[in-house]
Amino acid sequence: MAISASLVRVSSLKLSSVFHGDDFSPSSKSSSFMGVPLNFLPSFRSGKQKQFRDNLVVVSKRTSGLEEALRNLREQKLETVRKVRRIPPLRRGKVSPRLPVPEHIQKPPYVGSSILPEISSEYQMHDSEGIAQMRAACQLAARVLDYAGTLVRPSVTTNEIDKAVHQMIIDAGAYPSPLGYGGFPKSVCTSVNECMCHGIPDSRQLQNGDIINIDVTVYLNGYHGDTSKTYFCGDVSDGMRRLVKVTEECLERGIAVCKDGASFKKIGKRISEHAEKYGFGVVERFVGHGVGSVFHSEPLIYHHRNEEPGHMVEGQTFTIEPILTMGGIDCITWPDNWTTLTADGSPAAQFEHTILITRKGAEILTIP
């Protein structure tokens, strides 16, 4: 579950103060080709006027052809956007009451409070026992996510996915970490199409052509396991399929640079390099985070190019969870203070793993 990067720059801020995106109204104007003033053209004698007029005609035709080519290119880009946006904009459905959790299940300390917890400044380091507990929590999260993915199909509601995920988690004797975190009302985040992250499950039915990120975190025996994946619903456009594929590849490239002693900024560099090859934007507002006995802690993992200090240490656990968009990276947040969408309505995709830093590399804990 991503956290907002803006909240950590001023430690006194609460998470709730930064879940509101700024309004964004992009505008762009194509440059037009201007004629060359006559006084810059070569001089000519009256006997050569006809030849010059002929030259002017040729120049005019060439310019017109170039303008037509540029116009066609703009129309092609607009047509691509129209095809991607054939699905209506996301609208809030009905949010049902939160589901109960049996009394015997261990609950994280933030449950019962609507206040968002502070981001812990402690890096989460683990001994052999802690690593074993992290593996167990992460394995459960991975199995739950795989199961949730099998439910994705047209006509299924995100609320139905939440109910199934909730039941599987409590049946395993664990607690669904998002439930009650800063007042979040559901057990899983479901982010559809232009929703970047933190989508609240509701009565909206999934449509043919949707993409949906399902973000699962479980709290098992005092440790959190955190993972997410973007799934296809029915017949998804080629553009959105490419976005999802490249986002997963960005996660893999970010993990590949991780090992004891590596600098955290390498993650953002690798992710940005790969995303830019395909023209996708990397969202800067939401970051990965340390995870373990505490849900969100340092280090903060920036997915874009950055010069943030810090190096990885063996025994450390954190998430990497890049969000890529087909358009701009600015965002807006609904009045529920959670659901965050791309400001321009372009589709977004996200993938996430919890990893353990080892001497020679990184172990992905959330692969089932």
Side-chain angles (χ1 to χ4, degrees), residues 86-296:
R86 70 183 184 277
I87 301 171
L90 202 60
R91 295 287 183 266
R92 163 63 70 218
K94 181 180 179 181
V95 178
S96 59
R98 61 187 291 174
L99 297 169
V101 177
E103 286 297 325
H104 70 273
I105 290 178
Q106 182 180 358
K107 301 170 180 63
Y110 53 76
V111 173
S113 171
S114 61
I115 299 174
L116 280 156
E118 298 280 357
I119 303 303
S120 173
S121 60
E122 298 293 327
Y123 284 34
Q124 302 199 59
M125 312 293 297
H126 306 283
D127 57 17
S128 58
E129 182 181 349
I131 290 172
Q133 296 285 11
M134 279 298 295
R135 285 196 180 111
C138 288
Q139 283 294 295
L140 175 59
R143 292 196 301 273
V144 172
L145 180 61
D146 269 5
Y147 170 62
T150 67
L151 305 176
V152 174
R153 60 183 181 275
S155 81
V156 169
T157 68
T158 51
N159 193 62
E160 289 172 315
I161 294 174
D162 176 77
K163 186 176 180 180
V165 164
H166 179 90
Q167 191 62 47
M168 184 174 178
I169 292 173
I170 64 173
D171 284 348
Y175 184 90
S177 302
L179 186 62
Y181 181 81
F184 192 83
K186 291 294 183 176
S187 299
V188 67
C189 296
T190 52
S191 303
V192 179
N193 296 336
E194 67 266 37
C195 184
M196 288 182 176
C197 61
H198 301 157
I200 298 175
D202 60 23
S203 62
R204 179 191 182 275
Q205 292 182 327
L206 293 176
Q207 306 295 312
N208 184 53
D210 282 348
I211 57 174
I212 175 174
N213 176 270
I214 302 177
D215 191 338
V216 172
T217 313
V218 305
Y219 185 66
L220 178 65
N221 297 325
Y223 289 82
H224 297 271
D226 193 358
T227 185
S228 84
K229 181 176 181 178
T230 299
Y231 294 93
F232 301 128
C233 182
D235 183 20
V236 175
S237 70
D238 290 343
M240 291 172 78
R241 285 181 178 274
R242 188 178 305 111
L243 171 68
V244 172
K245 179 176 181 291
V246 173
T247 305
E248 186 170 22
E249 290 170 351
C250 283
L251 173 60
E252 292 166 354
R253 280 161 172 75
I255 294 172
V257 301
C258 294
K259 65 178 181 178
D260 182 49
S263 61
F264 289 112
K265 65 183 180 181
K266 284 185 176 180
I267 297 172
K269 182 175 184 294
R270 282 291 182 89
I271 290 172
S272 295
E273 286 173 348
H274 191 63
E276 288 162 3
K277 289 179 184 177
Y278 298 89
F280 295 134
V282 180
V283 173
E284 299 180 4
R285 183 176 172 193
F286 295 98
V287 297
H289 53 87
V291 65
S293 58
V294 177
F295 196 172
H296 295 116

Side-chain angles (χ1 to χ4, degrees), residues 33 61-71:
F33 282 86
K61 286 182 179 177
R62 287 175 180 169
T63 303
S64 176
L66 184 56
E67 287 176 341
E68 184 178 357
L70 290 170
R71 185 167 56 251

Side-chain angles (χ1 to χ4, degrees), residues 317-337:
T317 51
F318 55 83
T319 70
I320 303 177
E321 42 188 310
I323 304 172
L324 269 60
T325 74
M326 292 183 73
I329 62 172
D330 293 89
C331 57
I332 56 174
T333 301
W334 282 355
D336 60 30
N337 290 342

